[in-house]
Amino acid sequence: MSEIRLSSEKRLRLFAGRGFPELADEVAAELGIPLTPTSAYDFANGEIFVRFEESVRGCDAFVIQSHTTPVNKQIMEQLIMVDALKRASAKRITVVAPFYGYARQDKKSRGREPITARLMADLFKTAGADRLMCVDLHTSQIQGFFDGPVDHLFALPMLANYVGSKVDRTRLTIVSPDSGRVRVAERWSDLLGGCPIAFIHKTRDPRVPNESTTGRVVGDVQGQTCVVIDDMIDTAGTITKAVDSLFEAGAEDVIIAATHAVLSGPAVERLKSSRASEVVVTNTLPISEDQKFDGLTVLSIAPLLGRAIREVFEDGSVTSLFDGHS
Ligand code: R5P
């Protein structure tokens, strides 16, 4: 014998930051494994310490963290976890960021601005990540910022199936709240039997964050049930202005559907007082009890994350999860 052989088996381990432990628990339940025991705490000055309480050598590590408020802390914690895994000889490290923080900063709108979505990808790579897994990136090209595989998952089939089961599809119009999301509206339409689409001509002052000026509705929404879609609801300014515009243009009913419920500042009040009959989101980010209201429906993203993690681990196909839906 001139060599030593090992019949090595791949081992999947799931690690969770402190951003949204309930979602991590749900994903762990989907996979049928416990989270790897982890100690994490903050020093008095805010620095974060993380240590895994079991050996991680040689494992296929999936590190789930929701980039919820305070977003910089959650990101830093995930970076530190990746660093710890790299230094403890994990075989492969996948960053699972259901909501990818800073995704909106994906280009320079004016000179002397950062491209922070790219910086995020560089930070994860430098920390030791081999791949990324995210849900509904603000723009698909962010995948190209990371030098490695990116599993870009879509909540669209789940949201569309839910909405489609509740409405009269013969009077349905899918509405993009801006011209940039028309392609996504087309995918919704494809899934829901080719219903018409409309969009809202929106202008935004790039110097003022979270402020948009909603313009006119492009498309006929008279007497229609409109589903206005977006990747995220942050302050809810964009989406509630869209709802107002749709009613002004003669819509019969409006449903809001978005993947990421960031729900900052006035969002909940704006959504509660909007005329939309239902707000449908996923739980890529935590929604506290006091943020919940009548008419809010939260669909769990955990089954999709669980299936995607399993496909990656087994060298299967993530694309197959969306066959016919992307
Ligand atoms: C913008 O391009 C995004 O897709 C969202 O429409 C926007 O970030 C939502 O922010 P807000 O809820 O604060 O209007």
Side-chain angles (χ1 to χ4, degrees), residues 94-314:
T94 301
V95 161
V96 183
F99 170 73
Y100 183 95
Y102 288 98
R104 280 175 288 188
Q105 294 183 37
D106 61 348
K107 61 180 171 303
K108 288 173 67 167
S109 301
R110 295 177 303 153
R112 302 189 297 279
E113 288 184 348
I115 303 180
T116 317
R118 166 64 199 248
L119 173 64
M120 285 273 292
D122 288 345
L123 287 169
F124 282 122
K125 187 74 187 172
T126 301
D130 297 295
R131 63 190 301 140
L132 292 184
M133 181 179 288
C134 311
V135 182
D136 287 345
L137 286 163
H138 179 61
T139 47
S140 289
Q141 52 267 37
I142 291 172
Q143 293 170 86
F145 291 176
F146 183 73
D147 186 14
V150 176
D151 300 299
H152 186 195
L153 312 181
F154 305 104
L156 188 154
M158 193 171 85
L159 291 165
N161 286 339
Y162 173 82
V163 171
S165 68
K166 302 197 78 175
V167 295
D168 173 3
R169 295 190 187 193
T170 61
R171 297 173 58 202
L172 187 62
T173 297
I174 307 297
V175 181
S176 166
D178 55 38
S179 53
R181 212 152 288 282
V182 169
R183 181 76 194 98
V184 181
E186 284 170 356
R187 287 194 204 128
W188 272 77
S189 168
D190 289 346
L191 259 183
L192 295 176
C195 54
I197 64 169
F199 75 95
I200 301 205
H201 183 251
K202 183 177 84 166
T203 52
R204 182 188 284 282
D205 182 345
R207 291 164 301 188
V208 188
N210 291 119
E211 276 292 331
S212 70
T213 313
T214 291
R216 66 195 171 89
V217 176
V218 180
D220 183 11
V221 297
Q222 184 72 41
Q224 292 288 95
T225 295
C226 294
V227 181
V228 55
I229 57 161
D230 212 344
D231 60 329
M232 70 182 84
I233 303 174
D234 189 357
T235 63
T238 303
I239 210 104
T240 53
K241 282 179 187 168
V243 172
D244 291 344
S245 298
L246 290 166
F247 278 114
E248 275 164 30
E252 174 77 22
D253 186 19
V254 180
I255 295 170
I256 292 171
T259 305
H260 308 295
V262 183
L263 304 185
S264 308
V268 171
E269 281 315 310
R270 283 177 174 167
L271 291 170
K272 276 204 252 187
S273 51
S274 102
R275 290 173 65 196
S277 60
E278 187 168 357
V279 180
V280 189
V281 295
T282 79
N283 63 346
T284 55
L285 291 165
I287 300 171
S288 62
E289 281 309 311
D290 58 0
Q291 287 178 313
K292 293 184 179 158
F293 54 91
D294 286 346
L296 176 73
T297 300
V298 183
L299 306 179
S300 180
I301 203 73
L304 177 62
L305 289 172
R307 287 203 305 276
I309 288 171
R310 191 174 286 282
E311 289 296 332
V312 170
F313 174 63
E314 293 175 351

